[in-house]
């Protein structure tokens, strides 16, 4: 788990993660930043016997460094990251590990962070596949960077996160190596607290949102709760509609999408996902 600058979330997500752990799970806890209230919230739990390792970075080291810390120094057969704004279903580890054990080709599989109203069943059905043990997966070449479970073999073959990698681009690298990624189906829910539709969100007004915008909202130019909600809805549609043709994510096709996004940002001040 990576924590940063949101004590309200930490007091929900960290004990929730600890309580969802199976007996053989180890929690590695990385805290970014010097916010006193958030650090105090972390300190309430960091000596819990289920916390195996703890690291405090006085500056915000982001996500890549703590992810690589876990991947390179741990020895578990399965790896995950849960952000401090996410509450995965209590059964998430059991369900995802069982799927991994039954299906060797699974790479990274995840919990689902969008509400039922965002689900387009016609799009989901096009990408559903059934595997050994009756496991179903809505295939997609990447999942969100929280509430997932991946095989260590995936890291051994794909490598650590490079400086220019996002989690999405890293998942795409693994997909090109033959790993099958996506979301178990029926979807296993994750309460994404940064979604304004979550009952536990801190974003109730535009003032709340502007004061503590997520990094992704800053990067895409989103400034209001309504705009952020629409971005959440768009993100849900994108992953359901995304092509399974890996050629779509490299070469001229990828360059075309990047150019289109830059143009939208120039014209509108926003570059939605």
């Amino acid at each position: 788990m990576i924590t940063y600058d949101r004590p309200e979330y930490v007091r929900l997500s960290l004990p929730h993660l600890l309580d969802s752990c199976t007996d053989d799970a180890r929690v590695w806890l990385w805290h970014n930043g010097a916010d006193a209230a958030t650090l105090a919230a972390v300190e309430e739990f960091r000596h819990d016997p289920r916390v195996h390792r703890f690291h405090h970075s006085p500056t915000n080291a982001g996500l890549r460094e703590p992810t690589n810390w876990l991947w390179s120094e741990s020895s578990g057969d399965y790896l995950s990251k849960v952000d401090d704004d996410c509450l995965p279903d209590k059964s998430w580890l059991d369900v995802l590990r069982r799927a991994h054990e039954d299906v060797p080709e699974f790479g990274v599989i995840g919990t689902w962070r969008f509400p039922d109203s965002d689900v387009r069943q016609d799009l989901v059905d096009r990408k559903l596949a059934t595997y050994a043990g009756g496991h179903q997966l809505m295939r997609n070449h990447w999942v969100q960077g929280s509430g997932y479970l991946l095989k260590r073999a995936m890291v051994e073959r794909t490598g650590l996160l490079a400086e220019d990698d996002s989690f999405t681009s890293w998942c795409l690298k693994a997909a090109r190596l033959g790993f099958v990624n996506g979301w178990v189906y029926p979807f296993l829910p994750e309460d994404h607290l940064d979604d304004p539709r979550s009952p536990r969100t801190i974003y109730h007004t535009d003032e709340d949102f502007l004061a503590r915008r997520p990094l992704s909202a800053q990067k895409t130019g989103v400034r209001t709760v309504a705009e952020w909600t629409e971005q959440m809805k768009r993100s849900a549609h994108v992953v359901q509609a995304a092509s399974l043709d890996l050629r779509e994510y490299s070469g001229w096709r990828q360059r075309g999408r990047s150019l289109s996004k830059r143009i939208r940002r120039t014209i509108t001040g926003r570059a939605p996902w």
Side-chain angles (χ1 to χ4, degrees), residues 19-242:
D19 289 344
S20 74
C21 281
T22 54
D23 291 340
D24 56 353
R26 292 177 170 180
V27 174
W28 291 45
L29 180 61
W30 178 294
H31 177 65
N32 275 326
D35 178 69
T38 309
L39 185 56
V42 171
E43 288 286 349
E44 292 178 23
F45 301 99
R46 82 171 184 93
H47 297 292
D48 187 288
R50 293 164 292 189
V51 175
H52 180 64
R53 292 275 298 272
F54 173 72
H55 180 87
H56 178 205
S57 171
T59 59
N60 183 5
L63 302 177
R64 184 180 61 85
E65 185 178 348
T67 299
N68 284 341
W69 170 65
L70 171 72
W71 288 2
S72 62
E73 298 189 22
S74 65
S75 59
D77 292 332
Y78 301 100
L79 302 165
S80 179
K81 176 168 73 69
V82 178
D83 292 331
D84 61 5
D85 61 351
C86 296
L87 308 179
D89 186 89
K90 284 292 186 73
S91 67
W92 73 290
L93 277 176
D94 278 330
V95 171
L96 297 182
R97 182 165 61 175
R98 194 179 319 121
H100 269 298
E101 290 172 346
D102 290 347
V103 187
E105 62 263 39
F106 281 173
V108 56
I109 55 178
T111 55
W112 181 256
R113 60 172 46 182
F114 305 105
D116 291 345
S117 57
D118 285 351
V119 175
R120 282 277 307 276
Q121 197 62 47
D122 58 325
L123 298 178
V124 171
D125 289 344
R126 294 176 192 170
K127 299 174 73 174
L128 272 183
T130 302
Y131 296 88
H135 298 286
Q136 285 191 295
L137 199 72
M138 189 194 84
R139 290 193 59 198
N140 196 55
H141 292 313
W142 70 91
V143 301
Q144 78 280 353
S146 176
Y148 61 77
L149 194 67
L150 60 84
K151 288 183 173 73
R152 173 166 294 282
M154 190 177 181
V155 174
E156 292 171 348
R157 288 192 59 197
T158 311
L160 300 179
L161 288 167
E163 283 195 24
D164 59 348
D165 268 335
S166 64
F167 189 63
T168 295
S169 66
W170 185 86
C171 289
L172 283 164
K173 288 181 182 179
R176 293 186 184 102
L177 294 174
F179 289 100
V180 175
N181 307 326
W183 287 271
V184 293
Y185 188 85
F187 292 132
L188 192 61
E190 176 187 71
D191 185 1
H192 184 206
L193 307 181
D194 264 356
D195 188 325
R197 296 168 294 177
S198 167
R200 301 175 180 90
T201 189
I202 59 174
Y203 299 134
H204 303 292
T205 68
D206 291 345
E207 289 74 19
D208 294 336
F209 184 71
L210 274 175
R212 304 170 76 180
R213 280 190 301 169
L215 181 60
S216 50
Q218 297 174 39
K219 287 182 175 179
T220 53
V222 171
R223 300 183 60 82
T224 70
V225 170
E227 290 174 348
W228 186 237
T229 302
E230 287 305 308
Q231 186 121 305
M232 296 293 101
K233 294 178 180 178
R234 174 174 169 78
S235 184
H237 182 269
V238 165
V239 297
Q240 291 171 93

